[in-house]
Amino acid sequence: VQLVQSGGGSVQSGGSLRLSCMMTGATINRYCMGWFRHGHERVGVAVGDNKGHTNYADSVKGRFTLSQDNAKNTFYLEMSSLRPEDTAIYYCAVYGPPPYSGAGGYCPPSYSTADYPYWGQGTQVTVST
């Protein structure tokens, strides 16, 4: 499994950006996914299970949206109303259900970086005042 990120860049406060994370080597709709950002530490901002449910950190709730396009095997982080404190390197990550659970196995959303064996390369997001 490999994850390739795109998007990001620099924007003024209040602006919007979209990050993309394309998966190769596996089918995305079997996997749980997450977006993390690294300032002083790597923390989750948006996570989703493999049934279409999402969860957001309080700091981004109402401003960020995690979505996926199964046909493109890609998931996204739509970011709006960006603030300077959103400045960080952003990483996408995925993990799958237990191997014994079969094709329909479930993986719950997780904010724990330890749950994710597969990571994108990271992309810088800079928000200026």
Side-chain angles (χ1 to χ4, degrees):
V1 174
Q2 289 190 317
L3 302 177
V4 178
Q5 294 182 226
S6 59
S10 298
V11 66
Q12 288 191 320
S13 183
S16 300
L17 287 171
R18 186 176 80 162
L19 306 182
S20 300
C21 184
M22 184 178 70
M23 173 189 274
T24 60
T27 304
I28 193 171
N29 61 7
R30 292 197 64 240
Y31 283 74
C32 281
M33 58 196 69
W35 286 97
F36 295 76
R37 63 187 181 191
H38 197 127
H40 297 292
E41 59 181 351
R42 192 169 296 190
V43 297
V45 295
V47 296
D49 66 9
N50 60 352
K51 302 302 181 185
H53 304 107
T54 55
N55 193 277
Y56 300 92
D58 288 343
S59 58
V60 306
K61 200 169 294 182
R63 300 188 298 122
F64 289 13
T65 301
L66 186 157
S67 63
Q68 67 187 82
D69 184 335
N70 292 337
K72 296 182 178 179
N73 226 34
T74 299
F75 63 103
Y76 306 93
L77 185 67
E78 302 270 3
M79 305 182 290
S80 63
S81 302
L82 283 162
R83 305 166 181 168
E85 55 263 39
D86 294 318
T87 295
I89 299 175
Y90 283 72
Y91 296 86
C92 63
V94 297
Y95 81 101
Y100 55 78
S101 62
Y106 177 70
C107 54
S110 174
Y111 285 100
S112 173
T113 56
D115 285 335
Y116 293 84
Y118 307 110
W119 291 83
Q121 79 275 20
T123 187
Q124 177 71 46
V125 170
T126 302
V127 184
S128 59
T129 56

